[in-house]
């Protein structure tokens, strides 16, 4: 079962300014609900003897190109990139805590400091890796699976 959420780009209506619309961030899941649901998914998996690995979702370094993307900020509803990144950090911290509390494996996919834009993150996007970043994450996940769960059996 999969869920696909689509959120179109909000269009300012007459009488609204960017600042006025940005005063209320869009929150799909409140932090406490996120922690509960993530915990519950892990519990359900563990009840069925399914091992779990949680991955981080690192934010890219804040570049001048991102700073210029006010529409990106506008879409989130946050008043500043600083507030957006603070919220992102909060959800990251929750994910780490929940993994620790439930004995789930944790995979840090963030690139080494200083190498964030070297074939990993775009200079224009805060959260989505480039092709090289996806390849690195897939390789790291493959290694984590083999380490945590052993090599797959060949029949």
């Amino acid at each position: 079962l999969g869920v696909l959420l689509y959120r179109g780009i909000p269009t300012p209506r007459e009488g609204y300014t960017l600042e006025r619309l940005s005063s209320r961030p869009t929150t799909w899941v409140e932090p406490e609900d996120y922690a509960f649901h993530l915990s519950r998914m892990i519990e359900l998996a563990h009840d069925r003897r399914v091992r779990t690995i949680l991955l981080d979702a690192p934010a890219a370094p804040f570049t001048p190109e991102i700073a210029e993307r006010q529409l990106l900020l506008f879409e989130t509803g946050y008043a500043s990139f600083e507030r957006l990144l603070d919220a992102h950090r909060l959800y990251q911290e929750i994910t780490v805590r929940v993994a620790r509390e439930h004995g789930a494996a944790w995979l840090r996919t963030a690139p080494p400091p200083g190498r964030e834009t070297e074939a990993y993150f775009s200079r224009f996007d805060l959260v989505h890796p480039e092709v090289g970043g996806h390849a690195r994450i897939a390789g790291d996940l493959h290694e984590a699976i083999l380490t945590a769960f052993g090599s797959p059996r060949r029949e």
Side-chain angles (χ1 to χ4, degrees):
L1 173 66
V3 178
L4 174 65
L5 294 176
Y6 172 78
R7 181 171 168 256
I9 298 173
T11 304
R13 294 179 303 224
E14 189 174 332
Y16 284 82
T17 65
L18 186 63
E19 293 76 27
R20 185 170 174 190
L21 285 176
S22 295
S23 65
R24 181 154 191 206
T26 300
T27 303
W28 290 106
V29 179
E30 294 294 332
E32 54 277 356
D33 292 333
Y34 174 73
F36 172 78
H37 291 294
L38 188 57
S39 295
R40 191 69 185 120
M41 286 187 280
I42 294 169
E43 290 166 1
L44 289 170
H46 289 181
D47 287 349
R48 289 160 180 78
R49 292 190 267 198
V50 174
R51 297 178 188 171
T52 55
I53 297 177
L54 275 65
L55 284 71
D56 64 351
F62 193 72
T63 63
E65 292 87 356
I66 291 172
E68 292 174 4
R69 296 200 56 214
Q70 290 299 304
L71 182 57
L72 172 69
L73 182 62
F74 175 71
E75 290 172 352
T76 69
Y78 284 90
S80 68
F81 281 110
E82 182 178 83
R83 286 188 179 170
L84 171 62
L85 290 169
D86 285 345
H88 183 78
R89 275 188 288 280
L90 172 63
Y91 286 89
Q92 291 283 28
E93 291 166 5
I94 291 169
T95 305
V96 172
R97 178 182 47 108
V98 168
R100 189 176 324 121
E101 288 173 355
H102 292 280
W106 168 254
L107 179 60
R108 183 179 188 278
T109 66
R115 299 190 56 204
E116 295 90 345
T117 55
E118 293 175 21
Y120 193 91
F121 282 114
S122 165
R123 295 183 344 245
F124 302 94
D125 192 334
L126 276 171
V127 294
H128 299 101
E130 291 280 349
V131 172
H134 285 292
R136 184 175 166 273
I137 291 168
D140 289 351
L141 181 56
H142 180 255
E143 288 299 316
I145 290 169
L146 292 178
T147 299
F149 311 130
S151 297
R153 284 184 275 180
R154 296 183 187 225
E155 311 251 343

